[in-house]
Amino acid sequence: MPQFRVVTDPDDPAVAPFRAIKERDLVGREGLFIAEGETVLRAFVRDAPERVVSLLIDPKRQDKLAQVFEGLPDETPVHFADQAVLDAIAGFHLHRGVLAVGRKPEPIAARDLLAGLPERAVVLVLCGIANHDNIGGIYRNAAAFGADAVVLDADCCDPLYRKAIRVSVGAVLSVPTARLERGEDIAQLLAATGFEGLALSPSASEILAHLKPAPRTAVLLGAEGPGLTPEVMARARTIGIPMANGFDSLNVATTSGIVLHHLRFAQG
């Protein structure tokens, strides 16, 4: 069982990793991250309990989380603090009453991740997506539709940022992820690992509804506005999603859900 203790002093050294959360979001946590909320905690303990470092919980939630505590490794510290103490530690009103410190996984090279996937696989390749809401929404869709992995380029934001984790409902903690080195050629990497790249474009002649995907498919998604670079588009198969009344764009997270849904059932 985990080690339960009560915290009454916001300056208690044992809860230092939880202190001033918003300020530390900006500077990083040296291989650690903060996860927030009961739903995210349940996903974290279910999918990666060995990476849970410690918890900080409102004692009012203790009974409701009993089953979650049973899934923690022995000796995991679980700190209980009343609302006023929680708020003083976090530096803002923590209405969810549940925080976890987690350890980031060891990084894996994108080539190794892709090469190790099954003969039939779907991955997302994200290029320049710096909005944490979009990153979180994309990961939520990736988990919901069974994407095998997500590959981020060097300009994507950190999916283990607190808000991205929350928006993903904890999916970023379980979907296999790799990050490209700056300047790494994604088209060359996909070709070398047997993936066909699909680039979404309003001007594409081929539409998603008619697409018969290759056994190994990589969906390339760019940031809203600039989208994918012409170089990436030129070396991928372009696919369109027809829209009504001349509308020509969708939110990138929404797009990921539509495409993954099609791929999930087109390959079924």
Side-chain angles (χ1 to χ4, degrees):
M1 288 292 290
Q3 298 298 302
F4 300 112
R5 65 186 299 272
V6 175
V7 176
T8 58
D9 180 359
D11 293 324
D12 187 329
V15 294
F18 298 96
R19 196 167 294 131
I21 286 173
K22 289 183 177 179
E23 288 80 0
R24 294 178 69 181
D25 280 345
L26 301 175
V27 297
R29 291 186 172 81
E30 299 180 351
L32 301 176
F33 62 88
I34 289 283
E36 178 183 354
E38 180 182 330
T39 302
V40 169
L41 177 61
R42 290 184 183 278
F44 191 10
V45 174
R46 180 192 67 222
D47 297 332
E50 72 286 351
R51 287 167 45 208
V52 179
V53 175
S54 61
L55 306 181
L56 179 62
I57 308 286
D58 184 331
K60 295 175 184 175
R61 300 175 183 266
Q62 182 172 0
D63 292 343
K64 193 175 181 181
L65 293 172
Q67 189 174 7
V68 175
F69 297 148
E70 291 175 2
L72 291 170
D74 289 344
E75 311 302 319
T76 304
V78 177
H79 310 289
F80 293 109
D82 289 336
Q83 188 68 57
V85 179
L86 274 175
D87 293 350
I89 294 168
F92 63 97
H93 178 56
L94 191 70
H95 66 277
R96 291 179 177 85
V98 176
L99 289 173
V101 171
R103 186 176 296 105
K104 292 185 177 182
E106 290 296 319
I108 180 173
R111 180 180 294 271
D112 293 340
L113 177 59
L114 295 178
L117 293 177
E119 291 183 4
R120 298 191 68 86
V122 173
V123 302
L124 294 175
V125 180
L126 309 185
C127 302
I129 297 180
N131 180 286
H132 291 101
D133 290 288
N134 284 336
I135 285 282
I138 290 168
Y139 269 88
R140 184 172 184 172
N141 291 333
F145 295 115
D148 295 277
V150 173
V151 175
L152 309 166
D153 78 355
D155 293 316
C156 285
C157 61
D158 184 1
L160 289 174
Y161 179 78
R162 180 170 53 94
K163 187 176 184 182
I165 297 173
R166 187 174 71 242
V167 172
S168 80
V169 199
V172 300
L173 304 173
S174 60
V175 178
T177 298
R179 188 177 286 272
L180 298 168
E181 299 291 336
R182 186 166 299 282
E184 192 170 358
D185 189 328
I186 183 57
Q188 185 180 73
L189 175 60
L190 294 177
T193 51
F195 280 86
E196 179 178 56
L198 301 181
L200 277 294
S201 170
S203 62
S205 58
E206 186 175 7
I207 68 171
L208 178 67
H210 299 159
L211 171 70
K212 292 185 178 179
R216 291 186 133 208
T217 299
V219 180
L220 297 143
L221 297 170
E224 293 178 40
L228 298 166
T229 66
E231 293 76 16
V232 168
M233 295 285 290
R235 298 167 69 188
R237 181 180 179 183
T238 56
I239 302 294
I241 300 175
M243 287 169 256
N245 302 320
F247 212 78
D248 67 352
S249 66
L250 291 168
N251 169 270
V252 66
T254 301
T255 299
S256 73
I258 293 170
V259 177
L260 287 173
H261 178 273
H262 177 80
L263 295 177
R264 170 72 172 84
F265 291 100
Q267 295 200 64

